[in-house]
Amino acid sequence: MRDKIHIEQNHDHIGGNFKWEIEPTCKCGKIKDATEEKFVFVSNFTNRGFNQFYMMPVTADGYLFRDDGVQISHCPWCGDEIKGKKKYPSK
């Protein structure tokens, strides 16, 4: 599926060009894999000290259905709350 999604991947939150300070975990283990597969994306915005996660709705032919993502706070597969934090360079 990820090969069929047509998204400009030049930003760290889209392309996944970042390291984790706190890796997201859940009981099924799929949320971290989904971010690496670029199925779930990680915003640069945070809430309660953790980065926000979102999904990008696409049409049947793989193009974006809308310009902004749909924020998710729980793993779509097991329902655990998502808590992950990107590692940012020191200032």
Side-chain angles (χ1 to χ4, degrees):
M1 176 67 168
R2 73 176 193 269
D3 295 329
K4 296 180 182 180
I5 298 175
H6 304 284
I7 300 175
E8 279 296 319
Q9 296 192 359
N10 58 357
H11 302 291
D12 64 340
H13 67 286
I14 298 287
N17 300 324
F18 62 87
K19 296 190 184 326
W20 293 107
E21 183 174 325
I22 300 171
E23 289 186 356
T25 59
C26 62
K27 62 183 151 213
C28 72
K30 292 183 180 180
I31 196 68
K32 183 174 180 276
D33 293 340
T35 61
E36 291 173 1
E37 294 290 323
K38 298 174 185 74
F39 181 72
V40 171
F41 302 97
V42 185
S43 174
N44 286 328
F45 294 107
T46 60
N47 183 19
R48 296 180 292 135
F50 297 101
N51 289 91
Q52 295 177 357
F53 288 69
Y54 64 97
M55 298 173 81
M56 297 296 293
V58 295
T59 61
D61 57 357
Y63 287 90
L64 290 177
F65 178 72
R66 55 190 245 187
D67 291 334
D68 57 342
V70 175
Q71 185 178 343
I72 58 173
S73 59
H74 291 76
C75 175
W77 297 277
C78 69
D80 278 1
E81 184 176 12
I82 302 171
K83 292 183 177 178
K85 185 175 183 180
K86 290 182 183 182
K87 183 174 185 172
Y88 293 100
S90 300
K91 294 181 180 180

Coordinates of all heavy atoms in Angstrom, one line a residue:
M1 N 0.8 -1.2 0.0 CA 0.0 0.0 0.0 C 0.9 1.3 0.0 O 0.6 2.2 -0.7 CB -0.9 0.0 1.2 CG -1.8 1.2 1.4 SD -3.0 1.3 0.1 CE -4.0 2.6 0.7
R2 N 1.9 1.3 0.8 CA 2.7 2.5 0.9 C 3.3 2.9 -0.4 O 3.5 4.1 -0.6 CB 3.8 2.4 2.0 CG 4.9 1.5 1.6 CD 6.0 1.5 2.7 NE 7.2 0.9 2.2 CZ 7.5 -0.4 2.2 NH1 6.7 -1.2 2.8 NH2 8.6 -0.8 1.8
D3 N 3.6 2.0 -1.3 CA 4.2 2.3 -2.6 C 3.2 3.0 -3.5 O 3.6 3.6 -4.5 CB 4.7 1.1 -3.3 CG 5.9 0.5 -2.5 OD1 6.6 1.2 -1.8 OD2 6.0 -0.8 -2.5
K4 N 1.9 2.9 -3.2 CA 0.9 3.5 -4.0 C 0.4 4.8 -3.5 O -0.4 5.5 -4.2 CB -0.3 2.5 -4.1 CG 0.1 1.2 -4.8 CD -1.1 0.3 -4.9 CE -0.7 -1.0 -5.6 NZ -1.8 -1.9 -5.7
I5 N 0.8 5.3 -2.4 CA 0.4 6.6 -1.8 C 1.3 7.7 -2.4 O 2.5 7.6 -2.3 CB 0.5 6.6 -0.3 CG1 -0.5 5.5 0.3 CG2 0.1 8.0 0.2 CD1 -0.4 5.4 1.8
H6 N 0.7 8.6 -3.0 CA 1.4 9.7 -3.7 C 1.5 10.9 -2.8 O 0.7 11.8 -2.8 CB 0.8 10.1 -5.0 CG 0.6 8.9 -5.9 ND1 1.7 8.3 -6.6 CD2 -0.4 8.1 -6.2 CE1 1.3 7.3 -7.3 NE2 0.0 7.1 -7.1
I7 N 2.6 11.0 -2.0 CA 2.8 12.1 -1.0 C 4.2 12.6 -1.2 O 5.2 11.8 -1.3 CB 2.6 11.7 0.4 CG1 1.2 11.1 0.7 CG2 2.9 12.8 1.4 CD1 1.0 10.5 2.1
E8 N 4.4 13.9 -1.3 CA 5.7 14.5 -1.3 C 6.4 14.1 0.0 O 5.9 14.4 1.1 CB 5.6 16.0 -1.4 CG 5.4 16.5 -2.9 CD 6.6 16.2 -3.8 OE1 7.8 16.3 -3.4 OE2 6.3 15.8 -4.9
Q9 N 7.5 13.5 -0.1 CA 8.2 13.0 1.1 C 9.5 13.8 1.3 O 10.6 13.2 1.4 CB 8.5 11.5 1.0 CG 7.2 10.7 1.0 CD 7.4 9.3 1.2 OE1 8.5 8.8 1.4 NE2 6.3 8.5 1.2
N10 N 9.4 15.1 1.5 CA 10.6 15.9 1.7 C 10.6 16.6 3.1 O 11.4 17.4 3.4 CB 10.7 17.0 0.6 CG 9.5 17.9 0.6 OD1 8.5 17.7 1.3 ND2 9.5 18.9 -0.3
H11 N 9.7 16.2 4.0 CA 9.6 16.7 5.3 C 9.9 15.6 6.3 O 9.6 14.4 6.0 CB 8.3 17.3 5.7 CG 7.9 18.4 4.7 ND1 8.5 19.6 4.7 CD2 6.9 18.4 3.7 CE1 8.0 20.4 3.8 NE2 7.0 19.7 3.2
D12 N 10.5 15.8 7.4 CA 10.9 14.8 8.3 C 9.7 14.0 8.9 O 9.7 12.8 9.1 CB 11.7 15.3 9.5 CG 11.0 16.3 10.4 OD1 10.0 16.9 10.0 OD2 11.5 16.4 11.5
H13 N 8.5 14.7 9.0 CA 7.3 14.0 9.6 C 6.7 13.1 8.5 O 6.0 12.2 8.9 CB 6.3 15.0 10.2 CG 5.7 15.9 9.2 ND1 6.3 17.0 8.6 CD2 4.4 15.9 8.6 CE1 5.5 17.6 7.7 NE2 4.3 16.9 7.8
I14 N 6.9 13.4 7.2 CA 6.4 12.6 6.2 C 7.4 11.5 5.9 O 7.0 10.3 5.8 CB 6.1 13.4 4.9 CG1 5.0 14.4 5.2 CG2 5.7 12.5 3.8 CD1 3.6 13.9 5.3
G15 N 8.6 11.8 5.6 CA 9.6 10.9 5.2 C 10.2 10.0 6.3 O 10.9 9.0 6.0
G16 N 9.9 10.3 7.5 CA 10.5 9.5 8.6 C 11.9 9.7 8.9 O 12.6 8.8 9.4
N17 N 12.5 10.8 8.5 CA 13.9 11.0 8.7 C 14.2 11.6 10.1 O 14.7 12.7 10.3 CB 14.4 12.0 7.6 CG 14.2 11.5 6.2 OD1 14.4 10.3 6.0 ND2 13.9 12.4 5.3
F18 N 13.9 10.8 11.1 CA 14.1 11.2 12.4 C 14.4 9.9 13.3 O 14.2 8.8 12.8 CB 12.9 11.9 13.0 CG 11.6 11.1 13.0 CD1 11.3 10.2 14.1 CD2 10.7 11.1 12.0 CE1 10.2 9.5 14.1 CE2 9.6 10.3 12.0 CZ 9.3 9.5 13.1
K19 N 14.9 10.2 14.5 CA 15.2 9.1 15.4 C 14.2 9.3 16.6 O 13.7 10.4 16.8 CB 16.6 9.1 15.9 CG 17.6 8.9 14.8 CD 19.0 8.7 15.4 CE 20.1 8.5 14.4 NZ 19.9 7.8 13.2
W20 N 13.9 8.2 17.3 CA 13.0 8.3 18.5 C 13.8 8.6 19.8 O 14.8 8.0 20.0 CB 12.3 6.9 18.7 CG 11.4 6.6 17.6 CD1 11.6 5.6 16.6 CD2 10.1 7.1 17.3 NE1 10.5 5.5 15.8 CE2 9.6 6.4 16.2 CE3 9.4 8.1 17.9 CZ2 8.3 6.7 15.7 CZ3 8.1 8.4 17.4 CH2 7.6 7.7 16.3
E21 N 13.2 9.5 20.6 CA 13.7 9.7 21.9 C 12.9 8.6 22.8 O 13.5 8.0 23.7 CB 13.3 11.1 22.4 CG 13.8 11.3 23.8 CD 13.7 12.8 24.3 OE1 13.8 13.7 23.4 OE2 13.4 13.0 25.5
I22 N 11.6 8.5 22.5 CA 10.8 7.5 23.1 C 10.0 6.7 22.0 O 9.2 7.3 21.3 CB 9.7 8.1 24.1 CG1 10.5 8.8 25.2 CG2 8.8 7.0 24.7 CD1 9.5 9.6 26.1
E23 N 10.4 5.5 21.8 CA 9.7 4.7 20.7 C 8.3 4.4 21.1 O 8.0 4.1 22.2 CB 10.4 3.4 20.4 CG 11.8 3.6 19.8 CD 12.4 2.3 19.4 OE1 11.8 1.2 19.7 OE2 13.5 2.3 18.8
P24 N 7.4 4.6 20.1 CA 6.0 4.2 20.4 C 5.8 2.7 20.6 O 6.4 1.9 19.8 CB 5.2 4.7 19.2 CG 6.2 4.7 18.1 CD 7.5 5.0 18.7
T25 N 5.1 2.3 21.6 CA 4.9 0.9 21.8 C 3.4 0.6 22.0 O 2.6 1.5 22.4 CB 5.6 0.4 23.1 OG1 5.2 1.1 24.2 CG2 7.1 0.5 22.9
C26 N 3.0 -0.6 21.8 CA 1.6 -1.0 22.0 C 1.7 -2.5 22.1 O 2.7 -3.1 21.8 CB 0.7 -0.6 20.9 SG 1.1 -1.2 19.3
K27 N 0.6 -3.1 22.7 CA 0.7 -4.6 22.9 C 0.8 -5.4 21.6 O 1.4 -6.5 21.7 CB -0.5 -5.0 23.8 CG -1.9 -4.8 23.2 CD -2.9 -5.3 24.3 CE -4.2 -4.4 24.0 NZ -4.9 -4.2 25.2
C28 N 0.3 -4.9 20.5 CA 0.4 -5.7 19.3 C 1.7 -5.4 18.5 O 2.1 -6.1 17.6 CB -0.8 -5.4 18.4 SG -0.9 -3.8 17.6
G29 N 2.4 -4.3 18.8 CA 3.6 -3.9 18.2 C 3.5 -3.3 16.8 O 4.6 -3.1 16.2
K30 N 2.3 -3.1 16.3 CA 2.2 -2.6 15.0 C 2.4 -1.1 14.8 O 2.6 -0.7 13.6 CB 0.8 -3.1 14.4 CG 0.7 -4.6 14.3 CD -0.6 -4.9 13.7 CE -0.7 -6.5 13.5 NZ -2.0 -6.9 12.9
I31 N 2.2 -0.3 15.8 CA 2.2 1.1 15.6 C 3.6 1.6 15.2 O 3.8 2.4 14.3 CB 1.7 1.9 16.8 CG1 1.4 3.3 16.4 CG2 2.6 1.9 18.0 CD1 0.2 3.5 15.5
K32 N 4.7 1.1 15.8 CA 6.0 1.5 15.4 C 6.3 1.0 14.0 O 6.9 1.8 13.1 CB 7.1 0.9 16.3 CG 8.5 1.4 16.0 CD 9.5 1.0 17.0 CE 10.9 1.4 16.7 NZ 11.6 0.6 15.7
D33 N 5.9 -0.2 13.6 CA 6.1 -0.7 12.3 C 5.3 0.1 11.3 O 5.8 0.4 10.2 CB 5.6 -2.2 12.2 CG 6.5 -3.1 12.9 OD1 7.6 -2.8 13.3 OD2 6.0 -4.2 13.3
A34 N 4.1 0.6 11.6 CA 3.3 1.4 10.7 C 4.0 2.7 10.4 O 3.8 3.3 9.3 CB 1.9 1.6 11.3
T35 N 4.7 3.3 11.4 CA 5.4 4.6 11.2 C 6.6 4.3 10.3 O 6.9 5.2 9.4 CB 5.8 5.3 12.5 OG1 6.7 4.4 13.2 CG2 4.7 5.6 13.3
E36 N 7.3 3.2 10.5 CA 8.4 2.9 9.6 C 8.0 2.6 8.2 O 8.7 2.9 7.2 CB 9.2 1.7 10.2 CG 9.9 2.1 11.5 CD 10.6 0.9 12.2 OE1 10.5 -0.2 11.6 OE2 11.2 1.2 13.2
E37 N 6.8 2.0 8.0 CA 6.3 1.7 6.7 C 5.6 2.9 6.0 O 5.1 2.8 4.9 CB 5.3 0.6 6.8 CG 5.9 -0.7 7.2 CD 6.8 -1.3 6.1 OE1 6.4 -1.2 4.9 OE2 7.8 -1.9 6.5
K38 N 5.5 4.1 6.8 CA 4.9 5.3 6.3 C 3.4 5.1 6.0 O 2.8 5.6 5.1 CB 5.6 5.8 5.1 CG 7.0 6.2 5.4 CD 7.8 6.6 4.1 CE 9.2 6.9 4.4 NZ 10.0 5.7 4.7
F39 N 2.8 4.3 6.9 CA 1.3 4.1 6.9 C 0.7 5.1 8.0 O -0.4 5.6 7.8 CB 1.0 2.7 7.2 CG -0.5 2.4 7.2 CD1 -1.2 2.4 6.0 CD2 -1.2 2.1 8.4 CE1 -2.6 2.1 6.0 CE2 -2.5 1.8 8.4 CZ -3.2 1.8 7.2
V40 N 1.4 5.2 9.1 CA 1.1 6.2 10.1 C 2.2 7.2 10.2 O 3.4 6.8 10.1 CB 0.9 5.5 11.5 CG1 0.8 6.5 12.6 CG2 -0.3 4.5 11.5
F41 N 1.9 8.5 10.3 CA 2.9 9.5 10.3 C 3.0 10.2 11.6 O 2.0 10.1 12.4 CB 2.5 10.6 9.2 CG 2.4 10.0 7.8 CD1 1.2 9.6 7.3 CD2 3.6 9.7 7.1 CE1 1.1 9.0 6.0 CE2 3.5 9.2 5.8 CZ 2.2 8.8 5.3
V42 N 4.1 10.9 11.9 CA 4.3 11.5 13.2 C 4.5 13.0 12.9 O 5.4 13.4 12.2 CB 5.6 10.9 13.8 CG1 5.8 11.5 15.2 CG2 5.5 9.4 13.9
S43 N 3.7 13.8 13.6 CA 3.7 15.2 13.4 C 4.9 15.8 14.2 O 5.4 15.2 15.1 CB 2.4 15.8 13.9 OG 2.4 17.2 13.9
N44 N 5.3 17.0 13.9 CA 6.2 17.8 14.7 C 5.5 18.4 15.9 O 6.1 18.9 16.8 CB 7.0 18.8 13.9 CG 8.0 18.2 13.0 OD1 8.6 17.1 13.4 ND2 8.2 18.7 11.9
F45 N 4.2 18.4 15.9 CA 3.4 19.0 17.0 C 3.3 18.0 18.1 O 3.3 16.7 17.9 CB 2.0 19.3 16.6 CG 1.9 20.5 15.6 CD1 1.6 20.2 14.3 CD2 2.2 21.8 16.0 CE1 1.6 21.3 13.3 CE2 2.2 22.8 15.1 CZ 1.9 22.6 13.7
T46 N 3.3 18.4 19.4 CA 3.2 17.6 20.5 C 2.0 17.8 21.3 O 1.4 18.9 21.2 CB 4.4 17.7 21.4 OG1 4.5 19.1 21.9 CG2 5.7 17.3 20.7
N47 N 1.6 16.9 22.1 CA 0.5 17.0 23.1 C 0.9 16.2 24.3 O 1.2 15.0 24.2 CB -0.8 16.4 22.4 CG -2.0 16.6 23.3 OD1 -2.0 17.4 24.3 ND2 -3.0 15.8 23.1
R48 N 0.9 16.8 25.4 CA 1.3 16.2 26.7 C 2.7 15.6 26.7 O 3.0 14.6 27.3 CB 0.3 15.2 27.2 CG -1.1 15.7 27.4 CD -2.1 14.6 27.9 NE -2.4 13.8 26.7 CZ -2.5 12.4 26.8 NH1 -2.3 11.8 28.0 NH2 -2.7 11.7 25.7
G49 N 3.6 16.3 25.9 CA 5.0 15.9 25.8 C 5.3 14.8 24.8 O 6.4 14.4 24.7
F50 N 4.3 14.3 24.1 CA 4.5 13.3 23.1 C 4.0 13.8 21.7 O 3.1 14.6 21.6 CB 3.6 12.0 23.4 CG 4.0 11.4 24.7 CD1 3.3 11.5 25.8 CD2 5.2 10.6 24.7 CE1 3.7 10.9 27.0 CE2 5.6 10.0 25.9 CZ 4.8 10.2 27.1
N51 N 4.7 13.3 20.6 CA 4.3 13.8 19.3 C 3.0 13.2 18.9 O 2.6 12.2 19.4 CB 5.4 13.3 18.3 CG 6.7 14.0 18.4 OD1 7.5 13.6 19.1 ND2 6.8 15.2 17.7
Q52 N 2.3 14.0 18.1 CA 1.0 13.5 17.6 C 1.1 12.6 16.4 O 2.0 12.9 15.6 CB 0.1 14.7 17.3 CG -0.2 15.6 18.5 CD -1.0 16.8 18.1 OE1 -1.3 17.1 17.0 NE2 -1.4 17.6 19.1
F53 N 0.3 11.6 16.3 CA 0.3 10.7 15.2 C -0.9 10.9 14.3 O -1.9 11.3 14.8 CB 0.3 9.2 15.7 CG 1.6 8.8 16.4 CD1 2.0 9.4 17.6 CD2 2.5 7.9 15.8 CE1 3.2 9.1 18.2 CE2 3.7 7.5 16.4 CZ 4.0 8.1 17.6
Y54 N -0.8 10.6 13.0 CA -1.9 10.8 12.1 C -1.8 9.9 10.9 O -0.7 9.3 10.7 CB -2.0 12.3 11.7 CG -0.9 12.8 10.9 CD1 -0.9 12.9 9.5 CD2 0.3 13.3 11.5 CE1 0.1 13.3 8.8 CE2 1.3 13.8 10.8 CZ 1.3 13.8 9.4 OH 2.3 14.3 8.7
M55 N -2.9 9.7 10.3 CA -3.0 9.0 9.0 C -3.5 9.9 7.9 O -4.2 10.9 8.2 CB -4.0 7.8 9.2 CG -3.5 6.8 10.3 SD -4.7 5.5 10.6 CE -4.3 4.4 9.3
M56 N -3.1 9.6 6.7 CA -3.5 10.4 5.5 C -4.5 9.7 4.7 O -4.1 8.6 4.1 CB -2.2 10.8 4.7 CG -1.2 11.6 5.4 SD -1.7 13.2 5.9 CE -2.0 14.0 4.3
P57 N -5.7 10.1 4.7 CA -6.7 9.4 3.9 C -6.4 9.6 2.4 O -6.1 10.7 1.9 CB -8.0 10.1 4.2 CG -7.7 11.3 5.0 CD -6.3 11.3 5.4
V58 N -6.5 8.5 1.6 CA -6.2 8.5 0.2 C -7.4 8.0 -0.6 O -8.2 7.2 0.0 CB -4.9 7.8 -0.2 CG1 -3.7 8.4 0.4 CG2 -5.0 6.3 0.3
T59 N -7.5 8.3 -1.8 CA -8.5 7.8 -2.7 C -8.1 6.4 -3.2 O -7.0 5.9 -2.9 CB -8.7 8.7 -4.0 OG1 -7.4 8.7 -4.7 CG2 -9.1 10.1 -3.6
A60 N -8.9 5.7 -3.9 CA -8.7 4.3 -4.3 C -7.4 4.2 -5.2 O -6.8 3.2 -5.2 CB -9.9 3.8 -5.1
D61 N -7.1 5.3 -5.9 CA -5.9 5.3 -6.8 C -4.7 5.8 -6.1 O -3.6 6.0 -6.7 CB -6.2 6.1 -8.1 CG -6.6 7.5 -7.9 OD1 -6.7 7.9 -6.7 OD2 -6.7 8.2 -8.9
G62 N -4.7 6.0 -4.8 CA -3.5 6.3 -4.0 C -3.2 7.8 -3.8 O -2.2 8.2 -3.3
Y63 N -4.1 8.7 -4.3 CA -3.8 10.1 -4.2 C -4.5 10.6 -2.9 O -5.5 10.1 -2.5 CB -4.3 10.9 -5.4 CG -3.4 10.7 -6.6 CD1 -3.6 9.6 -7.5 CD2 -2.2 11.5 -6.8 CE1 -2.7 9.4 -8.5 CE2 -1.4 11.3 -7.8 CZ -1.6 10.2 -8.7 OH -0.8 10.0 -9.7
L64 N -4.0 11.7 -2.4 CA -4.5 12.3 -1.1 C -6.0 12.7 -1.3 O -6.3 13.3 -2.3 CB -3.8 13.5 -0.7 CG -2.4 13.2 -0.1 CD1 -1.7 14.5 0.2 CD2 -2.4 12.3 1.1
F65 N -6.8 12.3 -0.4 CA -8.2 12.6 -0.4 C -8.4 14.1 0.1 O -9.3 14.8 -0.3 CB -9.0 11.6 0.4 CG -10.5 12.0 0.5 CD1 -11.3 11.8 -0.6 CD2 -11.1 12.4 1.6 CE1 -12.7 12.1 -0.5 CE2 -12.4 12.7 1.7 CZ -13.2 12.5 0.6
R66 N -7.6 14.4 1.1 CA -7.6 15.8 1.6 C -6.2 16.2 2.0 O -5.3 15.3 2.1 CB -8.6 15.9 2.8 CG -8.3 14.9 3.9 CD -9.3 14.8 5.0 NE -8.8 15.3 6.2 CZ -9.5 15.3 7.4 NH1 -10.7 14.8 7.4 NH2 -9.0 15.7 8.5
D67 N -6.0 17.5 2.2 CA -4.6 18.0 2.4 C -4.1 17.7 3.8 O -2.9 17.7 4.0 CB -4.6 19.5 2.2 CG -4.8 19.8 0.7 OD1 -4.5 19.0 -0.1 OD2 -5.2 20.9 0.4
D68 N -5.0 17.5 4.8 CA -4.5 17.3 6.2 C -4.8 15.9 6.6 O -5.7 15.2 6.1 CB -5.1 18.3 7.1 CG -6.6 18.3 7.1 OD1 -7.2 17.8 6.2 OD2 -7.2 18.9 8.1
G69 N -4.1 15.5 7.6 CA -4.2 14.1 8.1 C -5.3 14.0 9.2 O -5.9 15.0 9.6
V70 N -5.6 12.8 9.5 CA -6.6 12.5 10.6 C -5.8 12.1 11.8 O -5.1 11.0 11.8 CB -7.5 11.4 10.2 CG1 -8.5 11.0 11.3 CG2 -8.3 11.8 8.9
Q71 N -5.8 12.9 12.9 CA -5.1 12.5 14.1 C -5.6 11.3 14.7 O -6.8 11.1 14.8 CB -5.1 13.7 15.0 CG -4.3 13.5 16.2 CD -4.3 14.7 17.2 OE1 -4.7 15.8 16.8 NE2 -3.8 14.5 18.4
I72 N -4.7 10.4 15.2 CA -5.0 9.2 15.9 C -4.3 9.3 17.3 O -3.2 9.7 17.3 CB -4.7 7.9 15.2 CG1 -3.2 7.8 14.8 CG2 -5.6 7.8 13.9 CD1 -2.8 6.5 14.2
S73 N -4.9 8.8 18.3 CA -4.3 8.8 19.6 C -4.2 7.4 20.2 O -3.5 7.2 21.2 CB -5.1 9.7 20.6 OG -6.5 9.2 20.7
H74 N -4.8 6.4 19.5 CA -4.7 5.0 19.9 C -4.3 4.2 18.7 O -4.7 4.5 17.6 CB -6.0 4.6 20.5 CG -6.3 5.3 21.8 ND1 -6.7 6.6 21.9 CD2 -6.2 4.8 23.1 CE1 -6.9 6.9 23.2 NE2 -6.6 5.8 23.9
C75 N -3.7 3.1 19.0 CA -3.3 2.1 17.9 C -4.5 1.6 17.2 O -5.5 1.2 17.9 CB -2.5 1.0 18.5 SG -2.1 -0.3 17.3
P76 N -4.6 1.7 15.9 CA -5.8 1.3 15.2 C -6.0 -0.3 15.3 O -7.1 -0.7 15.1 CB -5.5 1.6 13.7 CG -4.4 2.6 13.8 CD -3.6 2.4 15.0
W77 N -5.0 -1.0 15.7 CA -5.1 -2.5 15.7 C -5.4 -3.0 17.1 O -6.3 -3.9 17.2 CB -3.8 -3.1 15.2 CG -3.6 -2.8 13.7 CD1 -4.1 -3.4 12.7 CD2 -2.8 -1.7 13.2 NE1 -3.7 -2.7 11.5 CE2 -2.9 -1.7 11.8 CE3 -2.0 -0.7 13.8 CZ2 -2.2 -0.8 11.0 CZ3 -1.3 0.2 13.0 CH2 -1.5 0.1 11.6
C78 N -4.8 -2.5 18.1 CA -5.0 -3.0 19.5 C -5.7 -2.1 20.4 O -6.1 -2.5 21.5 CB -3.7 -3.6 20.1 SG -2.5 -2.3 20.5
G79 N -5.7 -0.8 20.1 CA -6.4 0.2 20.9 C -5.6 0.8 22.0 O -6.1 1.7 22.7
D80 N -4.3 0.4 22.2 CA -3.5 1.1 23.2 C -3.2 2.6 22.8 O -3.1 2.9 21.6 CB -2.1 0.4 23.2 CG -2.1 -0.9 24.1 OD1 -3.2 -1.2 24.6 OD2 -1.0 -1.5 24.2
E81 N -3.1 3.4 23.8 CA -2.8 4.8 23.6 C -1.4 4.9 23.0 O -0.5 4.2 23.5 CB -2.9 5.6 24.9 CG -2.7 7.1 24.7 CD -2.8 7.9 26.0 OE1 -2.9 7.3 27.1 OE2 -2.9 9.1 25.9
I82 N -1.2 5.8 22.1 CA 0.1 6.0 21.4 C 0.9 7.0 22.2 O 0.4 8.2 22.3 CB -0.1 6.4 19.9 CG1 -0.9 5.4 19.1 CG2 1.3 6.6 19.3 CD1 -1.3 5.9 17.8
K83 N 2.0 6.7 22.6 CA 3.0 7.6 23.3 C 4.3 7.4 22.7 O 5.0 6.4 22.9 CB 3.0 7.4 24.8 CG 1.7 7.7 25.5 CD 1.8 7.5 27.0 CE 0.6 8.0 27.6 NZ 0.7 7.8 29.1
G84 N 4.7 8.3 21.8 CA 6.0 8.3 21.2 C 6.6 9.7 21.1 O 5.8 10.7 21.0
K85 N 7.9 9.8 21.1 CA 8.5 11.2 21.1 C 9.7 11.2 20.2 O 10.6 10.3 20.3 CB 8.9 11.6 22.5 CG 9.4 13.0 22.6 CD 9.6 13.4 24.0 CE 10.1 14.8 24.1 NZ 10.3 15.2 25.5
K86 N 9.7 12.1 19.2 CA 10.9 12.2 18.3 C 12.1 12.8 19.1 O 11.9 13.5 20.0 CB 10.6 13.2 17.2 CG 9.6 12.7 16.2 CD 9.5 13.8 15.1 CE 8.5 13.5 14.1 NZ 8.4 14.5 13.0
K87 N 13.2 12.4 18.6 CA 14.5 13.0 19.2 C 14.8 14.2 18.3 O 15.0 14.0 17.1 CB 15.6 12.0 19.2 CG 16.8 12.5 19.8 CD 17.9 11.4 19.9 CE 19.1 11.9 20.7 NZ 20.0 10.9 21.0
Y88 N 14.9 15.3 18.9 CA 15.3 16.6 18.2 C 16.7 16.9 18.4 O 17.2 16.7 19.5 CB 14.4 17.7 18.6 CG 12.9 17.5 18.1 CD1 12.0 17.0 19.0 CD2 12.5 17.7 16.8 CE1 10.7 16.8 18.6 CE2 11.2 17.5 16.4 CZ 10.3 17.1 17.3 OH 9.0 16.8 16.9
P89 N 17.4 17.5 17.5 CA 18.8 17.9 17.7 C 18.9 19.0 18.8 O 18.0 19.7 19.0 CB 19.2 18.6 16.4 CG 18.1 18.4 15.4 CD 16.9 17.9 16.2
S90 N 20.0 18.9 19.5 CA 20.2 19.9 20.6 C 20.4 21.3 20.0 O 20.9 21.4 18.9 CB 21.5 19.5 21.4 OG 21.3 18.3 22.0
K91 N 19.9 22.3 20.7 CA 20.0 23.6 20.2 C 21.3 24.3 20.6 O 21.9 24.0 21.5 CB 18.8 24.5 20.8 CG 17.5 24.0 20.3 CD 16.4 24.9 20.9 CE 15.1 24.4 20.4 NZ 13.9 25.1 20.8

